[in-house]
Amino acid sequence: MRSLSLLLVYLVVTLAEAASYKDGPFKVKESIVAPPRVWVEHAPAPSNHILELRIALPQPFSPLLEKHLLEVSDPSRKRYGDYLSKQETESFLSPHPHTIDSVSEWLASYGIHDDDLHSSAQGWVTVRVPVGLAEEMLGAKYHVYRHSETGEYIVRTTSYSLPEVLHDHVQFIQPTTMFARFRAFSSTLHWTTVPVNDASTSSTITGPAGNQVDASCNQTITPTCLRQLYHAVGYETSATNGNQIGITSYLGLYVNDHDLQQFFEAYVPAACGSNYTTVSINGGQNNQSIAAAGLEADLDSQYAFGLTYPTPRTLYTTAGSPPFDPDLHVPNNTNEPYSYWLEYMLSAENLPQTISTSYGDDEQTVPESYANRVCMGFAALGARGVSLTFSSGDYGVGDGDPNPETQLCFSNDGRNTTMFIPSFPASCPFVTTVGGTIYIPETAASFSGGGFSNYFPRPSYQDRAVSDYLSKLAPGTYEGLYNPDGRAYPDVSAQSDWFMVAYQGQFGYVGGTSASTPTFASIISMVNDARINAGKKGLGFLNPWLYSVGYAGLNDITTGHNPGCGTEGFNASIGWDPGESREAFHHLNKSS
């Protein structure tokens, strides 16, 4: 009798909630004062335009996941290297059953039933609805916005609401208030110019560990240069010990196999004819038309796959790009791609030990709720033993304008506060962020992104290093332009300019933190290879190790700065700094 009474109570509460979804009071869930200044309202969104709504359900056990991550990633802890299983991480990311029921009932009240849901893995629900229905469900008004510099169009709203009874069951819904573009971080492309610098007239240059580097590396970077500089000459990785490396590709930037083989033939002859595994996510492709070759994808693949050959390689190609053509009424206007990539990776049984990503955007264009959710997904991968490297960005302390003098460094919260512009996902505390250096001896690359997050507080693993840096700044330096209590980045750096690449059938130079990131990831992959050969686990989430004992294997960069927002930016100095941080390993074998 008691169980029947409880069932009746549950049914009464459920029916009451269902009735309140449409009739009850709506409350604003998220809003922004206005879109970022580069996005201009173009027209009301067509009511029949199809949106793919991603509904993030709260993950009440995620703080426990963060605790486990730090315990398995800190060399001073007993659990170091005791990574979690797929099932264990899923349990920490699961929403409460009542949350799933409540959201399902809300959707059903609009005629959307379980069969219409794309997924509910790791607390995501995906539905495809026309704009007209989305506006009714969210109490919102969608518009088409045009990017004033690129001419791209997206469909967004500046505010959306939900029934009050749902607020505790929905973390956020996108695409709504997100105006991020998520671009590749390849800042410079030079096909004919050769840099002029003070290279030695001798045939070699002495590196930071006494190693000899060809003098030509001060004009052209190749895999041989990087192996010489980072003391990996002669190290041969295994194809069979279980070690793997992955790279990500977004925004329709494809790895061209002809370019890859052309590069191998010139610079990594042993890799000629070797293949990689392609994984398609959310309809991602890898178009082999020479015209479809992506500079970013070619750069990432040629260096990550070339440096680590014959380690098994995987390309993750993920569809999802906000712009569309409003005149053609293209039916899809998808979200940015990270959430799709994470959903796939977290559900995969087998993961590479090292994954490199060279994409990002201004942190303030990403809603804080979204940034926190994606960052926690990165934490889950780290807890499973994956080393994630991300580019720090190519605009110094400024925004997406490559000219430091013309950057618009203002907050987009309606107050137009002058400020440095941090980058995301570089600002996530659960990834290793890679800045850039140039020349040998190395100095900070002026375009290398670095600074402090406005969303994420400074993590404990870097508290000492960052506090030491801040204590050396002159009082009042850049006061009010950055958040001294925020997560600081980059964590490391590596060579980042004058990389020789094969692109659309010809060779040329490319630079940016898109170059340093696969370089550093490749060195980490080699370290993981050495550890696995020695019967150890891979390094997993790197930062607690890097800031405690791993820094001993790094060379300190003490010259250069990263200008932006009309300032000189942060200077490179002794120890950690946001102007450059330390560079990649100066001795592979001693760092493992």
Side-chain angles (χ1 to χ4, degrees):
M1 193 68 182
R2 178 176 174 79
S3 61
L4 178 60
S5 299
L6 290 174
L7 176 62
L8 289 173
V9 169
Y10 174 76
L11 289 173
V12 168
V13 171
T14 300
L15 290 172
E17 285 186 350
S20 66
Y21 291 141
K22 288 188 175 182
D23 303 328
F26 273 53
K27 182 181 177 181
V28 173
K29 180 64 177 175
E30 286 190 307
S31 65
I32 56 177
V33 175
R37 59 179 52 81
V38 292
W39 291 103
V40 179
E41 187 176 308
H42 174 72
S47 61
N48 61 346
H49 176 79
I50 301 298
L51 291 171
E52 187 165 280
L53 295 180
R54 297 277 283 170
I55 305 169
L57 309 183
Q59 299 168 321
F61 306 111
S62 58
L64 291 176
L65 174 65
E66 182 177 345
K67 177 177 180 292
H68 282 279
L69 170 67
L70 296 178
E71 288 181 353
V72 302
S73 306
D74 186 343
S76 68
R77 303 286 188 96
K78 290 182 179 180
R79 291 186 59 204
Y80 180 58
D82 184 18
Y83 301 124
L84 302 186
S85 67
K86 169 180 174 291
Q87 292 72 26
E88 288 171 325
T89 56
E90 285 178 340
S91 68
F92 289 120
L93 297 177
S94 297
H96 194 281
H98 184 45
T99 287
I100 297 174
D101 291 343
S102 297
V103 172
S104 296
E105 290 157 8
W106 170 61
L107 293 172
S109 70
Y110 289 95
I112 304 169
H113 301 282
D114 288 348
D115 292 343
D116 302 319
L117 306 182
H118 280 206
S119 70
S120 58
Q122 288 85 44
W124 290 99
V125 173
T126 305
V127 297
R128 289 167 55 85
V129 297
V131 163
L133 180 56
E135 291 180 333
E136 181 182 352
M137 295 168 63
L138 304 179
K141 180 61 180 175
Y142 277 89
H143 285 83
V144 177
Y145 291 89
R146 181 181 181 276
H147 195 280
S148 59
E149 297 173 359
T150 67
E152 297 169 324
Y153 293 90
I154 59 174
V155 171
R156 293 293 186 268
T157 182
T158 56
S159 176
Y160 71 96
S161 302
L162 290 171
E164 282 195 73
V165 295
L166 272 184
H167 273 239
D168 291 338
H169 299 299
V170 173
Q171 186 175 2
F172 63 82
I173 299 176
Q174 293 293 346
T176 49
T177 58
M178 183 187 299
F179 285 80
R181 295 176 57 225
F182 288 95
R183 53 192 177 266
F185 284 144
S186 296
S187 67
T188 56
L189 176 63
H190 323 277
W191 290 111
T192 57
T193 308
V194 174
V196 177
N197 56 69
D198 297 326
S200 171
T201 57
S202 65
S203 61
T204 63
I205 306 168
T206 301
N211 45 316
Q212 296 302 300
V213 183
D214 290 346
S216 63
C217 298
N218 245 334
Q219 295 181 328
T220 300
I221 294 293
T222 67
T224 297
C225 292
L226 297 173
R227 279 183 170 267
Q228 290 175 347
L229 179 60
Y230 300 132
H231 223 297
V233 173
Y235 184 80
E236 297 183 4
T237 59
S238 171
T240 58
N241 66 358
N243 189 43
Q244 303 176 59
I245 188 170
I247 62 172
T248 62
S249 179
Y250 299 107
L251 309 178
L253 299 176
Y254 306 127
V255 173
N256 184 266
D257 293 344
H258 179 270
D259 289 342
L260 182 62
Q261 293 301 321
Q262 186 178 10
F263 181 83
F264 284 165
E265 182 178 357
Y267 297 108
V268 195
C272 286
S274 63
N275 296 316
Y276 57 91
T277 299
T278 300
V279 174
S280 172
I281 300 172
N282 191 38
Q285 300 178 21
N286 194 30
N287 189 332
Q288 288 305 298
S289 164
I290 191 67
L295 178 60
E296 178 64 59
D298 273 358
L299 168 65
D300 291 344
S301 61
Q302 288 167 26
Y303 279 86
F305 295 170
L307 284 167
T308 61
Y309 175 80
T311 297
R313 294 78 54 88
T314 300
L315 166 69
Y316 296 97
T317 173
T318 306
S321 178
F324 81 115
D325 187 338
D327 297 324
L328 298 179
H329 298 289
V330 177
N332 288 324
N333 180 221
T334 58
N335 280 319
E336 56 63 51
Y338 287 130
S339 62
Y340 294 93
W341 182 80
L342 278 169
E343 184 175 332
Y344 174 87
M345 297 300 290
L346 291 170
S347 65
E349 292 287 349
N350 184 30
L351 298 172
Q353 287 85 349
T354 313
I355 301 176
S356 175
T357 298
S358 298
Y359 300 78
D361 200 6
D362 298 345
E363 184 184 70
Q364 67 172 346
T365 67
V366 181
E368 188 170 358
S369 59
Y370 174 87
N372 276 291
R373 178 56 170 259
V374 167
C375 193
M376 186 52 61
F378 296 146
L381 290 178
R384 290 183 61 182
V386 179
S387 301
L388 296 173
T389 64
F390 277 80
S391 299
S392 70
D394 290 351
Y395 312 107
V397 295
D399 66 0
D401 186 339
N403 184 347
E405 299 300 324
T406 58
Q407 290 170 343
L408 298 175
C409 298
F410 303 104
S411 66
N412 63 356
D413 58 3
R415 292 179 292 181
N416 290 330
T417 304
T418 303
M419 58 183 276
F420 291 162
I421 308 296
S423 178
F424 179 81
S427 62
C428 171
F430 303 129
V431 304
T432 299
T433 303
V434 185
T437 64
I438 55 174
Y439 304 141
I440 305 165
E442 293 183 87
T443 186
S446 62
F447 53 73
S448 181
F452 298 80
S453 173
N454 291 317
Y455 287 172
F456 301 102
R458 185 194 307 160
S460 59
Y461 61 73
Q462 66 170 190
D463 191 51
R464 180 176 178 179
V466 176
S467 295
D468 285 348
Y469 171 78
L470 293 175
S471 69
K472 299 172 186 175
L473 287 180
T477 301
Y478 300 143
E479 185 174 354
L481 294 181
Y482 72 98
N483 172 24
D485 298 319
R487 185 276 203 257
Y489 71 94
D491 303 298
V492 293
S493 59
Q495 283 284 316
S496 60
D497 208 358
W498 304 107
F499 275 54
M500 182 64 74
V501 296
Y503 175 58
Q504 295 187 345
Q506 59 181 326
F507 284 97
Y509 295 115
V510 65
T513 53
S514 282
S516 57
T517 303
T519 296
F520 183 79
S522 297
I523 299 297
I524 289 296
S525 182
M526 293 184 204
V527 175
N528 282 336
D529 180 87
R531 289 176 61 86
I532 292 170
N533 287 340
K536 301 177 182 180
K537 297 283 187 70
L539 290 169
F541 173 46
L542 298 170
N543 293 5
W545 170 74
L546 281 171
Y547 283 87
S548 58
V549 295
Y551 75 89
L554 305 181
N555 178 48
D556 198 4
I557 304 300
T558 59
T559 58
H561 55 92
N562 60 347
C565 304
T567 75
E568 290 297 306
F570 295 105
N571 288 324
S573 60
I574 296 174
W576 180 90
D577 58 77
E580 200 41 57
S581 186
R582 296 174 172 93
E583 54 129 14
F585 297 111
H586 59 64
H587 202 303
L588 173 63
N589 294 329
K590 291 182 180 179
S591 302
S592 59

